[in-house]
Coordinates of all heavy atoms in Angstrom, one line a residue:
K1 N -18.4 -1.1 21.5 CA -19.2 -2.2 20.9 C -19.0 -2.3 19.3 O -19.0 -3.4 18.9 CB -20.7 -1.9 21.1 CG -21.1 -1.9 22.6 CD -22.7 -1.7 22.6 CE -23.0 -1.8 24.1 NZ -24.4 -1.6 24.3
L2 N -18.8 -1.1 18.6 CA -18.5 -1.2 17.3 C -17.2 -1.8 16.9 O -17.2 -2.6 15.9 CB -18.7 0.2 16.7 CG -20.0 0.9 16.7 CD1 -20.0 2.2 16.2 CD2 -21.1 0.0 16.1
L3 N -16.2 -1.6 17.7 CA -14.9 -2.3 17.4 C -15.0 -3.7 17.6 O -14.5 -4.4 16.6 CB -13.9 -1.7 18.3 CG -12.4 -2.4 18.0 CD1 -11.9 -2.0 16.6 CD2 -11.4 -1.8 19.2
S4 N -15.7 -4.3 18.5 CA -15.7 -5.7 18.7 C -16.6 -6.1 17.6 O -16.2 -7.4 17.1 CB -16.4 -5.9 20.1 OG -17.7 -5.5 20.1
R5 N -17.6 -5.7 17.2 CA -18.4 -6.2 15.9 C -17.5 -6.2 14.7 O -17.5 -7.2 13.9 CB -19.7 -5.4 15.7 CG -20.7 -5.5 16.7 CD -21.9 -4.7 16.4 NE -22.7 -4.6 17.4 CZ -23.7 -3.8 17.7 NH1 -23.9 -2.8 16.6 NH2 -24.5 -3.7 18.7
F6 N -16.8 -5.1 14.5 CA -15.9 -4.9 13.3 C -14.8 -6.1 13.3 O -14.5 -6.8 12.4 CB -15.4 -3.7 13.1 CG -14.5 -3.5 11.9 CD1 -15.1 -3.3 10.6 CD2 -13.2 -3.5 12.0 CE1 -14.3 -3.0 9.6 CE2 -12.4 -3.3 11.0 CZ -12.9 -3.2 9.6
L7 N -14.2 -6.3 14.5 CA -13.1 -7.2 14.6 C -13.7 -8.7 14.4 O -13.0 -9.5 14.1 CB -12.3 -7.1 16.1 CG -11.5 -5.7 16.0 CD1 -10.9 -5.7 17.4 CD2 -10.5 -5.7 14.9
R8 N -14.8 -9.0 15.0 CA -15.4 -10.4 14.9 C -15.7 -10.8 13.5 O -15.5 -12.0 13.2 CB -16.8 -10.5 15.6 CG -16.5 -10.5 17.2 CD -18.0 -10.4 18.0 NE -17.8 -9.9 19.2 CZ -17.9 -10.6 20.2 NH1 -18.2 -11.8 20.2 NH2 -17.8 -10.0 21.4
I9 N -15.9 -9.8 12.6 CA -16.2 -10.2 11.2 C -15.0 -10.1 10.4 O -15.1 -10.5 9.3 CB -17.4 -9.4 10.6 CG1 -17.1 -8.0 10.6 CG2 -18.8 -9.6 11.4 CD1 -18.1 -7.0 9.8
S10 N -14.0 -9.5 10.9 CA -12.7 -9.5 10.1 C -12.0 -10.7 10.1 O -11.8 -11.5 11.2 CB -11.8 -8.3 10.6 OG -12.5 -7.0 10.6
D11 N -11.3 -11.1 9.0 CA -10.6 -12.2 8.8 C -9.1 -12.0 9.0 O -8.3 -12.8 9.5 CB -10.7 -13.0 7.5 CG -12.0 -13.4 7.3 OD1 -12.7 -14.0 8.3 OD2 -12.5 -13.6 6.1
K12 N -8.8 -10.8 8.7 CA -7.3 -10.4 8.8 C -7.2 -8.9 9.4 O -8.1 -8.1 9.2 CB -6.6 -10.3 7.5 CG -6.6 -11.8 6.9 CD -5.9 -11.8 5.6 CE -5.9 -13.2 5.1 NZ -5.0 -13.5 4.0
L13 N -6.0 -8.6 9.9 CA -5.8 -7.4 10.5 C -4.6 -6.8 9.8 O -3.4 -7.4 9.9 CB -5.6 -7.4 12.1 CG -5.2 -6.0 12.7 CD1 -6.5 -5.0 12.6 CD2 -4.9 -6.4 14.2
M14 N -4.5 -5.6 9.1 CA -3.5 -4.9 8.5 C -3.0 -3.8 9.5 O -3.7 -2.9 9.8 CB -3.9 -4.5 7.1 CG -2.8 -3.6 6.6 SD -1.4 -4.6 5.9 CE -2.3 -5.6 4.6
I15 N -1.8 -4.0 10.0 CA -1.2 -3.0 10.9 C -0.2 -2.1 10.0 O 0.8 -2.6 9.6 CB -0.6 -3.5 12.1 CG1 -1.6 -4.3 12.9 CG2 0.1 -2.6 12.9 CD1 -1.2 -5.0 14.0
L16 N -0.4 -0.8 9.9 CA 0.5 0.1 9.3 C 1.5 0.5 10.5 O 1.2 1.4 11.3 CB -0.3 1.3 8.9 CG -1.2 1.0 7.7 CD1 -1.9 2.2 7.2 CD2 -0.5 0.3 6.5
W17 N 2.6 -0.2 10.6 CA 3.5 -0.2 11.7 C 4.5 1.0 11.6 O 5.1 1.2 10.5 CB 4.3 -1.5 11.9 CG 5.1 -1.5 13.0 CD1 4.7 -1.9 14.3 CD2 6.5 -1.4 13.1 NE1 5.7 -1.8 15.2 CE2 6.8 -1.5 14.4 CE3 7.4 -1.0 12.1 CZ2 8.2 -1.2 14.9 CZ3 8.8 -0.8 12.6 CH2 9.1 -0.9 13.9
D18 N 4.8 1.6 12.7 CA 5.9 2.6 12.8 C 6.4 2.2 14.2 O 6.0 1.5 14.9 CB 5.5 4.0 12.6 CG 4.6 4.5 13.7 OD1 4.0 3.7 14.5 OD2 4.5 5.8 13.8
P19 N 7.7 2.7 14.3 CA 8.4 2.6 15.8 C 7.5 2.9 16.9 O 7.6 2.4 18.0 CB 9.6 3.3 15.6 CG 9.9 3.4 14.2 CD 8.6 3.5 13.7
D20 N 6.6 3.9 16.8 CA 5.8 4.3 17.9 C 4.5 3.5 18.1 O 3.7 3.7 19.0 CB 5.5 5.7 18.0 CG 6.8 6.6 17.9 OD1 7.8 6.3 18.6 OD2 6.6 7.7 17.3
Y21 N 4.2 2.5 17.2 CA 2.9 1.9 17.3 C 2.6 1.3 18.7 O 1.4 1.4 19.2 CB 3.0 0.8 16.1 CG 1.7 0.1 16.1 CD1 0.6 0.6 15.4 CD2 1.3 -1.1 16.7 CE1 -0.6 0.0 15.1 CE2 0.1 -1.7 16.7 CZ -0.9 -1.3 15.8 OH -2.0 -1.9 15.8
M22 N 3.5 0.5 19.3 CA 3.1 -0.1 20.5 C 3.1 0.9 21.7 O 2.7 0.5 22.9 CB 4.1 -1.3 20.8 CG 4.0 -2.4 19.9 SD 2.4 -3.2 20.1 CE 2.4 -4.4 18.8
T23 N 3.5 2.1 21.5 CA 3.3 3.0 22.6 C 2.0 3.6 22.7 O 1.8 4.4 23.6 CB 4.5 4.2 22.4 OG1 4.1 5.0 21.2 CG2 5.8 3.6 22.4
R24 N 1.2 3.6 21.8 CA -0.2 4.1 21.7 C -1.1 3.0 22.3 O -1.3 1.9 21.7 CB -0.6 4.5 20.3 CG 0.3 5.6 19.7 CD -0.3 6.2 18.4 NE -0.1 5.3 17.3 CZ 0.9 5.2 16.5 NH1 1.9 6.0 16.8 NH2 1.1 4.3 15.6
L25 N -1.9 3.3 23.4 CA -2.7 2.4 24.1 C -3.8 1.8 23.0 O -4.2 0.7 23.1 CB -3.3 3.0 25.2 CG -4.2 2.1 26.1 CD1 -3.2 0.8 26.6 CD2 -4.7 2.9 27.3
W26 N -4.4 2.7 22.3 CA -5.4 2.3 21.4 C -5.0 1.2 20.5 O -5.7 0.2 20.2 CB -6.0 3.5 20.6 CG -7.0 3.1 19.7 CD1 -6.9 2.9 18.2 CD2 -8.4 2.7 19.9 NE1 -8.2 2.5 17.7 CE2 -9.0 2.5 18.7 CE3 -9.2 2.7 21.2 CZ2 -10.4 2.0 18.7 CZ3 -10.4 2.4 21.1 CH2 -11.1 2.0 19.9
C27 N -3.8 1.2 19.9 CA -3.2 0.3 19.0 C -3.0 -0.9 19.6 O -3.4 -2.0 19.1 CB -1.9 0.9 18.4 SG -2.1 2.3 17.3
V28 N -2.5 -1.0 20.8 CA -2.3 -2.2 21.7 C -3.6 -2.8 22.0 O -3.8 -4.0 21.8 CB -1.5 -1.9 22.9 CG1 -1.4 -3.2 23.7 CG2 -0.1 -1.5 22.6
Y29 N -4.7 -2.1 22.3 CA -5.9 -2.6 22.5 C -6.5 -3.2 21.3 O -7.2 -4.3 21.4 CB -7.0 -1.4 23.1 CG -8.2 -1.8 23.3 CD1 -8.8 -2.7 24.4 CD2 -9.2 -1.4 22.3 CE1 -9.9 -2.9 24.5 CE2 -10.6 -1.8 22.5 CZ -11.0 -2.6 23.6 OH -12.2 -2.9 23.8
E30 N -6.5 -2.6 20.2 CA -7.0 -3.1 19.0 C -6.4 -4.6 18.7 O -7.0 -5.5 18.3 CB -6.9 -2.1 18.0 CG -7.5 -2.5 16.5 CD -7.3 -1.4 15.5 OE1 -6.3 -0.9 15.4 OE2 -8.3 -1.2 14.7
L31 N -5.0 -4.5 18.8 CA -4.3 -5.8 18.4 C -4.9 -6.8 19.5 O -5.0 -8.0 19.0 CB -2.9 -5.5 18.7 CG -1.9 -6.6 18.2 CD1 -2.1 -7.3 16.8 CD2 -0.5 -6.3 18.4
A32 N -4.8 -6.6 20.8 CA -5.2 -7.5 21.8 C -6.6 -8.0 21.4 O -6.9 -9.2 21.7 CB -5.0 -7.0 23.2
A33 N -7.5 -7.1 21.2 CA -8.9 -7.5 20.9 C -9.1 -8.4 19.7 O -9.7 -9.5 19.8 CB -9.8 -6.2 20.8
F34 N -8.4 -8.0 18.6 CA -8.3 -9.0 17.5 C -7.8 -10.4 17.8 O -8.4 -11.3 17.5 CB -7.4 -8.4 16.4 CG -7.6 -9.1 15.1 CD1 -8.7 -9.0 14.3 CD2 -6.6 -10.0 14.7 CE1 -8.8 -9.7 13.0 CE2 -6.6 -10.8 13.6 CZ -7.7 -10.7 12.7
R35 N -6.7 -10.4 18.6 CA -6.3 -11.6 19.1 C -7.3 -12.5 20.0 O -7.3 -13.7 19.9 CB -4.9 -11.6 19.8 CG -3.7 -11.1 18.8 CD -3.1 -12.3 18.1 NE -2.6 -13.2 19.1 CZ -1.9 -14.2 18.8 NH1 -1.7 -14.6 17.5 NH2 -1.5 -15.0 19.5
H36 N -7.9 -11.8 20.8 CA -8.9 -12.3 21.7 C -10.0 -13.1 20.8 O -10.4 -14.0 21.0 CB -9.4 -11.3 22.6 CG -10.6 -11.8 23.4 ND1 -10.5 -12.7 24.5 CD2 -11.9 -11.5 23.4 CE1 -11.6 -13.0 24.9 NE2 -12.5 -12.3 24.3
F37 N -10.5 -12.3 20.0 CA -11.8 -12.8 19.0 C -11.2 -13.9 18.1 O -12.0 -14.8 17.9 CB -12.3 -11.6 18.3 CG -13.0 -10.6 19.2 CD1 -12.8 -9.3 19.0 CD2 -14.0 -11.0 20.1 CE1 -13.4 -8.4 19.9 CE2 -14.7 -10.1 21.0 CZ -14.3 -8.7 20.7
K38 N -10.2 -13.8 17.5 CA -9.7 -14.7 16.4 C -8.8 -15.8 17.0 O -8.6 -16.8 16.3 CB -9.0 -14.0 15.4 CG -9.9 -13.0 14.6 CD -11.0 -13.7 14.1 CE -12.0 -12.6 13.3 NZ -13.1 -13.3 12.9
G39 N -8.3 -15.7 18.1 CA -7.3 -16.7 18.6 C -6.1 -16.7 18.0 O -5.5 -15.6 17.5
N40 N -5.3 -17.9 18.1 CA -3.9 -17.7 17.4 C -3.9 -18.4 16.1 O -3.6 -19.5 15.8 CB -3.0 -18.7 18.3 CG -1.5 -18.6 17.9 OD1 -1.2 -17.7 17.2 ND2 -0.8 -19.4 18.4
V41 N -4.5 -17.6 15.1 CA -4.5 -18.0 13.6 C -3.3 -17.4 13.0 O -3.1 -16.1 12.9 CB -5.9 -17.5 13.1 CG1 -5.9 -17.8 11.6 CG2 -7.1 -17.9 13.9
D42 N -2.4 -18.3 12.4 CA -1.3 -17.9 11.7 C -1.8 -17.1 10.3 O -2.8 -17.5 9.7 CB -0.5 -19.0 11.3 CG 0.2 -19.7 12.4 OD1 0.3 -18.9 13.3 OD2 0.6 -20.8 12.3
G43 N -1.1 -16.0 10.1 CA -1.4 -15.2 8.8 C -2.4 -14.3 8.9 O -2.8 -13.7 7.9
S44 N -3.1 -14.2 10.2 CA -4.2 -13.3 10.2 C -3.9 -11.9 10.5 O -4.6 -10.9 10.4 CB -5.2 -13.8 11.2 OG -4.7 -13.8 12.6
I45 N -2.6 -11.6 10.9 CA -2.2 -10.4 11.3 C -1.0 -10.1 10.4 O -0.1 -10.7 10.4 CB -1.7 -10.3 12.8 CG1 -3.0 -10.5 13.7 CG2 -1.2 -8.7 13.0 CD1 -2.7 -10.6 15.2
H46 N -1.2 -8.9 9.7 CA 0.0 -8.5 8.7 C 0.5 -7.1 9.2 O -0.4 -6.2 9.4 CB -0.5 -8.4 7.4 CG -1.1 -9.6 6.8 ND1 -0.4 -10.6 6.2 CD2 -2.4 -10.0 6.8 CE1 -1.0 -11.7 5.9 NE2 -2.3 -11.3 6.2
F47 N 1.8 -7.0 9.4 CA 2.4 -5.7 9.6 C 3.1 -5.1 8.4 O 3.7 -5.7 7.6 CB 3.6 -5.9 10.6 CG 3.1 -6.2 12.1 CD1 2.8 -7.5 12.4 CD2 3.0 -5.3 13.0 CE1 2.4 -7.8 13.6 CE2 2.5 -5.5 14.2 CZ 2.2 -6.9 14.7
L48 N 2.6 -4.0 8.2 CA 3.2 -3.3 7.0 C 3.9 -2.0 7.4 O 3.3 -1.1 7.9 CB 2.1 -2.8 5.9 CG 2.5 -2.1 4.7 CD1 3.3 -3.0 3.8 CD2 1.2 -1.7 4.0
P49 N 5.2 -1.9 7.3 CA 6.0 -0.8 7.8 C 5.5 0.4 7.1 O 5.4 0.3 5.7 CB 7.4 -1.2 7.4 CG 7.4 -2.6 7.5 CD 6.1 -3.0 6.9
L50 N 5.5 1.6 7.6 CA 5.0 2.8 6.8 C 5.9 3.3 5.9 O 5.7 4.1 4.9 CB 4.7 3.9 7.9 CG 3.5 3.8 8.7 CD1 3.4 4.8 9.8 CD2 2.2 3.7 7.8
R51 N 7.2 2.8 5.8 CA 8.2 3.2 4.8 C 7.9 2.6 3.5 O 8.2 2.9 2.4 CB 9.7 2.9 5.3 CG 9.9 1.4 5.4 CD 11.5 1.3 5.8 NE 11.7 -0.2 6.0 CZ 11.6 -0.9 7.1 NH1 11.0 -0.2 8.1 NH2 11.8 -2.1 7.1
V52 N 7.3 1.4 3.4 CA 6.9 0.7 2.3 C 6.0 1.5 1.4 O 6.1 1.7 0.2 CB 6.3 -0.7 2.6 CG1 5.7 -1.3 1.4 CG2 7.3 -1.6 3.1
P53 N 4.8 2.0 2.0 CA 4.0 2.9 1.1 C 4.7 4.0 0.6 O 4.5 4.6 -0.5 CB 2.9 3.3 2.0 CG 2.7 2.2 3.1 CD 4.3 1.8 3.3
S54 N 5.6 4.5 1.4 CA 6.3 5.8 0.9 C 7.2 5.4 -0.4 O 7.4 6.2 -1.3 CB 7.2 6.3 2.0 OG 6.5 6.7 3.0
A55 N 7.8 4.2 -0.2 CA 8.6 3.8 -1.3 C 7.7 3.5 -2.7 O 8.2 4.0 -3.9 CB 9.4 2.5 -1.0
L56 N 6.6 3.0 -2.4 CA 5.8 2.8 -3.6 C 5.3 4.2 -4.3 O 5.1 4.3 -5.4 CB 4.5 2.0 -3.1 CG 4.7 0.5 -2.8 CD1 3.5 -0.2 -2.2 CD2 5.3 -0.2 -3.9
I57 N 5.0 5.2 -3.3 CA 4.5 6.4 -3.9 C 5.7 7.0 -4.7 O 5.6 7.6 -5.8 CB 4.2 7.4 -2.8 CG1 2.8 6.9 -2.2 CG2 4.1 8.7 -3.2 CD1 2.4 7.6 -1.0
A58 N 7.0 6.9 -4.2 CA 8.2 7.5 -4.8 C 8.4 6.7 -6.2 O 8.7 7.3 -7.2 CB 9.4 7.3 -4.0
L59 N 8.2 5.4 -6.2 CA 8.3 4.7 -7.5 C 7.3 5.2 -8.4 O 7.6 5.3 -9.7 CB 8.2 3.1 -7.1 CG 8.4 2.2 -8.3 CD1 9.9 2.3 -8.9 CD2 8.2 0.8 -7.9
Y60 N 6.0 5.3 -8.0 CA 4.9 5.7 -8.9 C 5.3 7.1 -9.5 O 5.2 7.3 -10.7 CB 3.7 5.8 -8.1 CG 2.5 6.5 -9.0 CD1 1.9 5.7 -10.0 CD2 2.0 7.8 -8.7 CE1 0.9 6.2 -10.7 CE2 1.0 8.3 -9.5 CZ 0.5 7.5 -10.5 OH -0.6 8.1 -11.2
I61 N 5.8 8.0 -8.7 CA 6.2 9.4 -9.1 C 7.3 9.2 -10.2 O 7.3 9.9 -11.3 CB 6.6 10.3 -8.0 CG1 5.1 10.6 -7.1 CG2 7.2 11.6 -8.5 CD1 5.5 11.3 -5.9
A62 N 8.3 8.5 -9.9 CA 9.4 8.3 -10.9 C 9.0 7.7 -12.2 O 9.4 8.2 -13.3 CB 10.5 7.3 -10.3
H63 N 8.0 6.8 -12.2 CA 7.5 6.2 -13.3 C 6.6 7.3 -14.1 O 6.8 7.3 -15.4 CB 6.5 5.1 -13.0 CG 6.0 4.4 -14.2 ND1 4.7 4.5 -14.7 CD2 6.6 3.4 -15.0 CE1 4.5 3.8 -15.8 NE2 5.6 3.2 -15.9
A64 N 6.0 8.0 -13.4 CA 5.1 9.1 -14.0 C 6.0 10.1 -14.8 O 5.8 10.5 -15.9 CB 4.1 9.8 -13.1
L65 N 7.0 10.5 -14.0 CA 8.0 11.5 -14.6 C 8.8 10.9 -15.9 O 8.9 11.6 -16.9 CB 9.0 11.9 -13.6 CG 8.5 12.8 -12.5 CD1 9.5 13.1 -11.4 CD2 8.0 14.1 -13.1
A66 N 9.1 9.7 -15.8 CA 9.7 9.0 -17.0 C 8.7 8.9 -18.1 O 9.2 9.2 -19.2 CB 10.2 7.5 -16.6
A67 N 7.5 8.7 -17.9 CA 6.5 8.7 -19.0 C 6.4 10.0 -19.6 O 6.4 10.0 -20.8 CB 5.2 8.1 -18.5
V68 N 6.3 11.0 -18.9 CA 6.2 12.4 -19.4 C 7.5 12.7 -20.2 O 7.4 13.4 -21.3 CB 6.0 13.4 -18.1 CG1 6.1 14.8 -18.7 CG2 4.6 13.2 -17.7
M69 N 8.7 12.4 -19.8 CA 9.9 12.6 -20.4 C 9.9 12.0 -21.7 O 10.3 12.5 -22.8 CB 11.1 12.3 -19.6 CG 11.3 13.2 -18.4 SD 12.5 12.7 -17.3 CE 14.0 12.6 -18.3
V70 N 9.4 10.6 -21.8 CA 9.5 10.0 -23.1 C 8.5 10.6 -24.0 O 8.7 10.6 -25.2 CB 9.1 8.4 -22.8 CG1 8.7 7.7 -24.2 CG2 10.2 7.8 -22.1
Q71 N 7.4 11.0 -23.5 CA 6.4 11.6 -24.4 C 6.7 12.9 -25.0 O 6.5 13.3 -26.1 CB 5.0 11.8 -23.7 CG 4.2 10.5 -23.3 CD 3.7 9.9 -24.6 OE1 3.5 10.6 -25.6 NE2 3.6 8.5 -24.5
T72 N 7.6 13.7 -24.2 CA 8.0 15.0 -24.7 C 9.3 14.9 -25.4 O 9.5 15.7 -26.4 CB 8.0 16.1 -23.5 OG1 9.0 15.6 -22.5 CG2 6.7 16.4 -22.8
A73 N 10.2 14.3 -25.0 CA 11.5 14.3 -25.6 C 11.6 13.2 -26.5 O 12.5 13.2 -27.5 CB 12.7 14.1 -24.5
G74 N 10.8 12.2 -26.6 CA 10.8 11.1 -27.6 C 10.8 11.5 -29.0 O 11.7 11.1 -29.8
P75 N 9.9 12.3 -29.4 CA 9.9 12.7 -31.0 C 11.0 13.6 -31.3 O 11.4 13.5 -32.4 CB 8.5 13.6 -30.9 CG 7.7 13.1 -29.7 CD 8.7 12.7 -28.7
L76 N 11.6 14.2 -30.4 CA 12.8 15.0 -30.7 C 13.9 14.1 -30.9 O 14.9 14.6 -31.7 CB 13.2 16.0 -29.6 CG 12.1 17.1 -29.3 CD1 12.5 17.9 -28.0 CD2 11.8 18.0 -30.5
L77 N 14.1 13.0 -30.3 CA 15.2 12.2 -30.4 C 15.1 11.1 -31.5 O 16.0 10.5 -31.9 CB 15.3 11.4 -29.0 CG 15.7 12.4 -27.9 CD1 15.7 11.4 -26.6 CD2 16.9 13.0 -28.0
L78 N 13.8 10.8 -32.1 CA 13.6 9.8 -32.9 C 13.9 10.4 -34.4 O 13.7 11.5 -34.6 CB 12.2 9.3 -32.9 CG 11.8 8.5 -31.6 CD1 10.2 8.3 -31.7 CD2 12.5 7.3 -31.6
S79 N 14.4 9.5 -35.3 CA 14.4 10.0 -36.8 C 13.0 10.1 -37.4 O 12.1 9.7 -36.7 CB 15.4 9.0 -37.5 OG 14.6 7.6 -37.6
E80 N 13.0 10.6 -38.4 CA 11.7 10.9 -39.1 C 11.1 9.6 -39.4 O 9.8 9.4 -39.3 CB 11.9 11.8 -40.4 CG 12.4 13.2 -40.1 CD 12.5 14.1 -41.4 OE1 11.8 13.4 -42.4 OE2 13.0 15.1 -41.4
Q81 N 11.8 8.6 -39.9 CA 11.2 7.3 -40.2 C 10.5 6.7 -38.9 O 9.5 6.1 -38.8 CB 12.2 6.4 -40.8 CG 12.7 6.9 -42.2 CD 13.6 5.9 -42.9 OE1 14.3 5.2 -42.2 NE2 13.8 6.0 -44.2
S82 N 11.4 6.7 -37.9 CA 10.9 6.1 -36.5 C 9.7 6.8 -36.1 O 8.7 6.1 -35.6 CB 12.0 6.2 -35.6 OG 13.1 5.4 -35.8
A83 N 9.7 8.1 -36.1 CA 8.5 8.9 -35.7 C 7.3 8.6 -36.6 O 6.3 8.3 -36.0 CB 8.8 10.4 -35.8
E84 N 7.5 8.4 -37.8 CA 6.3 8.1 -38.6 C 5.8 6.7 -38.2 O 4.6 6.4 -38.1 CB 6.7 8.1 -40.1 CG 7.0 9.3 -40.7 CD 7.4 9.4 -42.1 OE1 7.3 8.3 -42.7 OE2 7.8 10.4 -42.6
W85 N 6.7 5.7 -38.0 CA 6.3 4.3 -37.7 C 5.7 4.4 -36.2 O 4.6 3.7 -35.9 CB 7.6 3.4 -37.4 CG 7.3 2.0 -37.0 CD1 6.9 1.1 -38.0 CD2 7.4 1.4 -35.8 NE1 6.7 -0.1 -37.4 CE2 6.9 0.1 -36.0 CE3 7.7 2.0 -34.7 CZ2 6.9 -0.9 -35.1 CZ3 7.7 1.0 -33.5 CH2 7.4 -0.3 -33.8
V86 N 6.0 5.2 -35.3 CA 5.5 5.2 -33.9 C 4.0 5.8 -34.2 O 3.0 5.4 -33.4 CB 6.2 6.1 -33.0 CG1 5.6 6.4 -31.7 CG2 7.6 5.2 -32.7
Q87 N 3.9 6.9 -35.0 CA 2.6 7.5 -35.1 C 1.5 6.5 -35.9 O 0.4 6.5 -35.5 CB 2.6 8.7 -36.0 CG 3.3 9.8 -35.1 CD 3.3 11.2 -35.9 OE1 2.9 11.2 -37.0 NE2 3.7 12.1 -35.1
L88 N 2.1 5.7 -36.6 CA 1.3 4.7 -37.4 C 0.9 3.6 -36.4 O -0.3 3.1 -36.4 CB 1.9 4.0 -38.6 CG 2.3 5.0 -39.7 CD1 3.1 4.2 -40.8 CD2 0.9 5.4 -40.4
R89 N 1.6 3.2 -35.4 CA 1.4 2.2 -34.5 C 0.3 2.7 -33.5 O -0.4 1.8 -32.8 CB 2.6 1.7 -33.8 CG 3.7 1.2 -34.6 CD 3.4 -0.3 -35.1 NE 3.2 -1.0 -33.8 CZ 3.0 -2.4 -33.9 NH1 3.2 -3.0 -34.8 NH2 2.9 -3.0 -32.7
T90 N 0.2 4.0 -33.2 CA -0.6 4.5 -32.1 C -1.9 4.9 -32.5 O -2.6 5.0 -33.4 CB 0.0 5.6 -31.3 OG1 0.4 6.7 -32.2 CG2 1.2 5.1 -30.6

């Protein structure tokens, strides 16, 4: 009962897809129930491959590491005048 209520008020369904998604009966049931309640509405079901969130996490970690490297190595690489200018700007 709760799933049907939730799906009735939902406008979109985001599926975190992996190759085994359609082998799980619960996932197929949820997708079929959403289609039953919403009909054939274009753009209401979104498939997001699980590798995409992994790539975003890797990009975030790389950005964080680069920021730490700039903060620690930056003052060592800058000339005295540049370092004074950076400190005045911050």
Side-chain angles (χ1 to χ4, degrees):
K1 291 181 181 182
L2 295 177
L3 177 63
S4 65
R5 289 182 194 162
F6 183 77
L7 292 176
R8 285 176 204 252
I9 63 170
S10 299
D11 293 329
K12 296 182 181 190
L13 177 65
M14 174 75 65
I15 295 174
L16 299 176
W17 184 83
D18 69 344
D20 296 327
Y21 182 81
M22 292 296 181
T23 63
R24 295 186 292 271
L25 183 59
W26 178 257
C27 296
V28 174
Y29 174 76
E30 185 177 38
L31 181 59
F34 184 81
R35 292 279 297 182
H36 172 74
F37 292 127
K38 297 299 175 180
N40 191 13
V41 179
D42 289 337
S44 62
I45 300 174
H46 300 277
F47 287 87
L48 180 66
L50 285 177
R51 69 178 179 274
V52 171
S54 300
L56 291 176
I57 290 171
L59 183 62
Y60 174 77
I61 291 171
H63 182 265
L65 288 174
V68 168
M69 289 174 59
V70 167
Q71 289 292 331
T72 56
L76 299 174
L77 299 175
L78 294 174
S79 66
E80 289 182 22
Q81 290 178 340
S82 298
E84 289 175 13
W85 182 81
V86 169
Q87 287 183 356
L88 291 175
R89 300 281 305 191
T90 56

